[in-house]
Amino acid sequence: MVISGVHAVAKALEAGFGRKLFVSTPKISVRLNWLIALAHQKQCGVTIGELPDISRENNSQGVALEITTPKYLNEKALNAVTSAEIESFVCLILDGITDPRNFGACLRSAVSYGVNGVIVPKDKAAPLNEAAIKASSGTAFFVPIYEVVNLTRCIKNLKKKNVWVFGTDSQAVSSIDQEVLTGKLALVMGSEGKGIRENLKAHCDVMLRVPVKNAEFTLNVSVATGICLNEIYKQQLNSK
């Protein structure tokens, strides 16, 4: 996979996923010189004066990076993490998020607020491709992403391990700032069009809404995710 853009490339290099760095111009700025130095430090090859064809059509900012494609973790790895004796644990579950840019933006919020992991279904989910990684500003390399076959079964297993599951719905009675959001919990976010599927809602412990002034205008899923994770982060921080 080839990604482009200074921020995404820098984060991929920092995380050790870089294989070959491409810089379009031989006139090296301070910022690009730093990237080249980082590539050498990470034992990543460097080519100056050209970009891969796939990057020329995008807003590459003059840099591209061939990377080792990040791998999703499996349910076994998720079970091991959730079985650990820890006081707090926050995971983000994405149901029906098929736009890579929304997926990437959700990952960026997840990393920003220190989420322990992101859970996605194997089917009907956005790929972790160049668009998603760029939208995440490279933060996709810094959060565990778990791929599960069945989200309903996954939620049931989480609840067996004392993880409280909160779903989101614009029509929910309780708003997210009215709920106690400490300890081990999972936040389920659905697609903008259909929201969380009904069979998943049935297994959530509580349904919550994001309080807004004009309810007829729905929020972008990545914006709503950021608002919810901010509230969770504040409460988790204050509970320590």
Side-chain angles (χ1 to χ4, degrees):
M1 182 191 299
V2 175
I3 63 173
S4 60
V6 172
H7 290 294
V9 166
K11 293 300 182 184
L13 285 171
E14 288 174 7
F17 283 84
R19 298 179 64 184
K20 180 179 285 188
L21 175 68
F22 297 87
V23 180
S24 64
T25 174
K27 296 181 181 180
I28 307 300
S29 65
V30 173
R31 181 169 62 171
L32 294 183
N33 194 54
W34 173 77
L35 280 181
I36 292 171
L38 179 59
H40 287 314
Q41 179 186 336
K42 296 292 184 176
Q43 299 182 330
C44 172
V46 177
T47 296
I48 297 176
E50 65 177 82
L51 289 178
D53 291 339
I54 194 171
S55 299
R56 293 173 186 169
E57 300 176 0
N58 302 325
N59 181 20
S60 66
Q61 298 178 295
V63 293
L65 183 69
E66 181 183 334
I67 65 169
T68 301
T69 305
K71 302 292 184 183
Y72 288 152
L73 299 173
N74 58 27
E75 292 184 66
K76 184 178 179 180
L78 176 62
N79 289 334
V81 171
T82 53
S83 297
E85 294 295 328
I86 51 178
E87 293 184 2
S88 65
F89 173 85
V90 178
C91 66
L92 172 65
I93 300 176
L94 300 178
D95 177 39
I97 309 302
T98 57
D99 186 326
R101 291 164 296 183
N102 279 336
F103 180 32
C106 288
L107 293 176
R108 185 172 183 175
S109 292
V111 175
S112 297
Y113 290 110
V115 167
N116 298 96
V118 176
I119 301 173
V120 297
K122 185 175 182 179
D123 299 319
K124 296 181 180 179
L128 186 60
N129 58 14
E130 194 271 346
I133 291 172
K134 193 166 186 177
S136 80
S137 197
T139 57
F141 299 104
F142 294 92
V143 62
I145 304 175
Y146 301 93
E147 184 182 71
V148 302
V149 175
N150 187 304
L151 279 182
T152 299
R153 183 179 65 195
C154 174
I155 287 175
K156 289 180 179 179
N157 289 335
L158 288 173
K159 293 172 71 171
K160 288 178 182 178
K161 294 172 182 176
N162 299 317
V163 176
W164 203 255
V165 180
F166 295 92
T168 51
D169 189 321
S170 61
Q171 303 302 313
V173 175
S174 299
S175 65
I176 191 163
D177 57 325
Q178 297 173 327
E179 190 67 33
V180 177
L181 301 168
T182 57
K184 297 171 70 172
L185 64 89
L187 172 70
V188 187
M189 302 298 299
S191 66
E192 292 173 45
K194 298 180 180 179
I196 300 172
R197 288 172 292 166
E198 292 299 324
N199 62 324
L200 288 187
K201 285 183 183 180
H203 293 285
C204 292
D205 294 298
V206 181
M207 295 301 298
L208 300 171
R209 60 180 169 80
V210 176
V212 293
K213 182 177 181 179
N214 297 308
E216 67 270 26
F217 300 108
T218 58
L219 294 171
N220 174 279
V221 63
S222 63
V223 173
T225 298
I227 293 171
C228 292
L229 291 179
N230 176 265
E231 181 63 31
I232 292 170
Y233 172 74
K234 288 190 298 183
Q235 291 196 29
Q236 296 265 343
L237 190 65
N238 292 334
S239 69
K240 294 181 179 179

